[in-house]
Amino acid sequence: MRREPVRVTVWQDGTAATDRVLLVHGTLSWGTDCFREQRPLATEFRLELMDRRGFGASPDIEHSDYEVDAEDIAELLGGGAHLVGHSYGAAGALLAAARQPGAIRSLALIEPSVLRTAEDEVPRIAAALKRLRAAFGEQREPMSPVEYLCYSTDDYGLPQPEFTPELLRAAASAMAERPAWDAMIPLAPIRDADYPKLVVNGSWETAAPDYRAFVGEALLACGAFVAERIGARRVLVPGAVHAPHQEQPEAVNGLLAELWA
């Protein structure tokens, strides 16, 4: 039986915006929230902002899963589009790119969190995975979406968000999702594909020390590992942490426009 399609919001300002760009958000977010600072790019490009299942206005799903995301992304790519994935969204984007290289015009990964892909080769990432599995794994006591949001921010020196209905739904879905850090991505097909690739990391120098130590150093190492293995340009964005496209949008928008052009 065919699944209900996911929600895609289109931003297209002006007749010049014809090149398609599919943007895939991370966890605790949704398309128009995650990529709100990229709206100015809609004057030159057609931005298609996907809500992953369980997030935004897309259908519910019992357990959010990057494999399911990859299937949705592959369908949405159609005859071809530029592809952008942030954090968890990068896992589905990478899987879709590995399976349908002919549908990708360019690939941009912002803070990819596919740590397991580098676990056996980068000790810093292996240590971070051990911490993450302990902190968010089966040992975790049941908690409400509000408690989960507090747990995901307070302990790492992050500001507490406003508990909107959209964010509480995103938190409930995040609590039940298959962890993106455990995704094992086949990178060789992406390396061999002939389209431009970009990996963007925040520089993390402004992060709270505990947050950087817990996961930031591993995400930096993961970005470097993935970029090297797929033949991508890698850029560190100063003054940014895990959401450089939101924290330093002018810098990241310039990188994306250059890639898509």
Side-chain angles (χ1 to χ4, degrees):
M1 185 174 67
R2 184 177 175 82
R3 294 179 303 181
E4 185 179 351
V6 297
R7 170 66 66 87
V8 177
T9 300
V10 175
W11 289 341
Q12 186 175 13
D13 302 328
T15 57
T18 55
D19 283 359
R20 295 180 59 226
V21 182
L22 179 61
L23 300 105
V24 188
H25 65 89
T27 198
L28 291 177
S29 190
W30 53 96
T32 57
D33 175 64
C34 182
F35 296 107
R36 58 187 178 273
E37 299 294 343
Q38 282 58 68
R39 181 62 190 260
L41 293 169
T43 59
E44 298 181 54
F45 305 95
R46 175 186 166 93
L47 306 185
E48 301 178 6
L49 298 96
M50 167 188 173
D51 290 345
R52 294 167 41 230
R53 294 182 187 275
F55 298 87
S58 279
D60 289 328
I61 185 172
E62 185 175 0
H63 297 291
S64 178
D65 190 321
Y66 47 82
E67 289 276 1
V68 176
D69 294 342
E71 295 175 7
D72 289 326
I73 292 166
E75 184 173 343
L76 292 173
L77 284 169
H82 302 282
L83 180 59
V84 181
H86 171 238
S87 190
Y88 194 108
L94 280 163
L95 285 172
R99 295 168 184 172
Q100 290 192 221
I104 311 295
R105 297 192 59 187
S106 72
L107 177 65
L109 307 170
I110 303 173
E111 286 276 309
S113 56
V114 290
L115 302 180
R116 184 184 171 197
T117 303
E119 181 177 13
D120 294 338
E121 300 188 49
V122 184
R124 178 177 294 173
I125 289 177
L129 276 169
K130 186 176 181 180
R131 294 192 296 271
L132 286 163
R133 288 164 179 154
F136 291 93
E138 295 301 325
Q139 306 95 316
R140 188 179 67 220
E141 293 294 324
M143 60 179 71
S144 70
V146 169
E147 290 171 329
Y148 181 82
L149 287 167
C150 294
Y151 178 67
S152 301
T153 54
D154 293 351
D155 289 352
Y156 309 114
L158 301 175
Q160 197 173 96
E162 180 183 356
F163 299 136
T164 64
E166 295 84 1
L167 183 58
L168 292 174
R169 183 187 186 225
S173 292
M175 290 165 61
E177 72 189 359
R178 186 180 182 186
W181 60 70
D182 268 334
M184 195 68 185
I185 307 294
L187 298 179
I190 303 171
R191 177 198 64 211
D192 295 340
D194 186 21
Y195 52 75
K197 302 142 196 167
L198 172 70
V199 174
V200 177
N201 280 107
S203 59
W204 282 81
E205 83 278 3
T206 58
D210 288 349
Y211 184 33
R212 177 169 178 145
F214 182 75
V215 71
E217 295 288 350
L219 286 167
L220 285 165
C222 184
F225 179 89
V226 170
E228 189 274 330
R229 292 303 172 94
I230 67 173
R233 177 189 180 193
R234 182 180 182 238
V235 178
L236 291 177
V237 178
V241 186
H242 190 49
H245 61 302
Q246 297 175 358
E247 298 158 330
Q248 299 293 336
E250 288 190 10
V252 176
N253 287 356
L255 292 169
L256 292 174
E258 180 183 355
L259 180 74
W260 301 338

